[in-house]
């Protein structure tokens, strides 16, 4: 369903861009590792490669933190966890490849299953409402155009 895929893409773009402060961060990773953690409410088997990661990666690329999402610039690791006490969500970490081992040594110290600090993030329903609005369609097409002409890099 093209409308659903467009909604998913727009959701990832909106959430990622709303959490990124272009004025505060002015660097990009040379060789990055993207760690995607899927948190589910139950142990039902899910294929992680069917979880819309393309749109998430594209949204991160739009921030300029990575030059490109090819294998020379980006490695991807996905993990799944169960937390019965909250709705499903996704944690995403982007780090320089040289720090991957340190990440794994200390990842349990991170607030892996704490969603509270992201309570102001745009919701799925907000994005759905905006998708019907011409202004959002314009923003999405502007992002796509900027990517094509390389304005983010």
């Amino acid at each position: 369903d093209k409308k659903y895929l467009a909604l998913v893409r727009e959701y990832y773009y909106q959430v990622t861009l709303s959490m990124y402060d272009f004025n505060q961060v002015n660097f990009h990773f040379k060789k990055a590792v993207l760690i995607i953690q899927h948190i589910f409410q139950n142990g039902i088997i899910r294929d992680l490669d069917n979880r819309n990661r393309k749109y998430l990666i594209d949204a991160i690329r739009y921030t300029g933190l990575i030059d490109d999402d090819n294998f020379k610039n980006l490695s991807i690791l996905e993990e799944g966890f169960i937390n019965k006490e909250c709705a499903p969500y996704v944690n995403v970490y982007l780090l320089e490849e040289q720090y991957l081992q340190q990440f794994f040594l200390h990842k349990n110290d991170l607030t892996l299953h704490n969603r509270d600090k992201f309570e102001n993030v745009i919701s799925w329903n907000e994005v759905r409402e905006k998708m019907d609005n011409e202004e959002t369609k314009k923003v999405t097409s502007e992002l796509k155009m900027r990517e094509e002409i390389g304005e983010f890099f």
Side-chain angles (χ1 to χ4, degrees):
D1 179 322
K2 289 182 181 182
K3 187 174 181 178
Y4 175 75
L5 289 177
L7 178 61
V8 170
R9 183 188 68 231
E10 186 67 23
Y11 176 74
Y12 280 120
Y13 290 175
Q14 293 281 340
V15 169
T16 302
L17 294 175
S18 71
M19 295 186 69
Y20 184 78
D21 186 348
F22 288 93
N23 295 320
Q24 294 292 324
V25 182
N26 58 358
F27 68 94
H28 68 274
F29 296 93
K30 294 175 185 165
K31 175 67 175 167
V33 176
L34 179 67
I35 300 166
I36 304 170
Q37 297 176 334
H38 303 273
I39 291 76
F40 303 108
Q41 283 185 307
N42 55 46
I44 294 173
I45 301 299
R46 296 166 176 91
D47 291 344
L48 295 180
D49 65 332
N50 297 334
R51 308 298 305 177
N52 300 311
R53 71 177 171 211
K54 175 188 178 14
Y55 303 126
L56 177 62
I57 295 165
D58 287 348
I60 290 170
R61 193 174 42 134
Y62 289 147
T63 67
L65 286 170
I66 57 175
D67 287 333
D68 194 13
D69 57 1
N70 66 49
F71 73 94
K72 292 180 180 181
N73 297 333
L74 183 66
S75 297
I76 302 167
L77 174 82
E78 291 187 77
E79 304 177 288
F81 299 93
I82 297 173
N83 185 344
K84 297 177 182 181
E85 299 176 15
C86 65
Y89 65 99
V90 177
N91 282 332
V92 178
Y93 298 96
L94 185 67
L95 54 131
E96 192 70 47
E97 183 182 59
Q98 66 187 10
Y99 300 118
L100 183 60
Q101 184 176 4
Q102 284 181 301
F103 175 85
F104 281 112
L105 290 174
H106 299 286
K107 84 174 185 176
N108 291 334
D109 297 337
L110 300 171
T111 318
L112 182 65
H113 300 298
N114 184 356
R115 190 176 185 184
D116 297 339
K117 58 186 166 187
F118 301 112
E119 62 189 22
N120 294 326
V121 171
I122 190 167
S123 74
W124 177 262
N125 288 331
E126 288 175 284
V127 172
R128 182 179 293 154
E129 289 172 11
K130 287 183 175 188
M131 284 296 289
D132 294 330
N133 181 334
E134 285 300 314
E135 182 178 326
T136 298
K137 291 177 185 174
K138 179 182 173 191
V139 168
T140 303
S141 64
E142 285 178 7
L143 285 173
K144 188 169 183 88
M145 182 178 62
R146 287 180 181 177
E147 177 195 22
E148 289 171 1
I149 62 173
E151 186 173 321
F152 284 100
F153 309 109

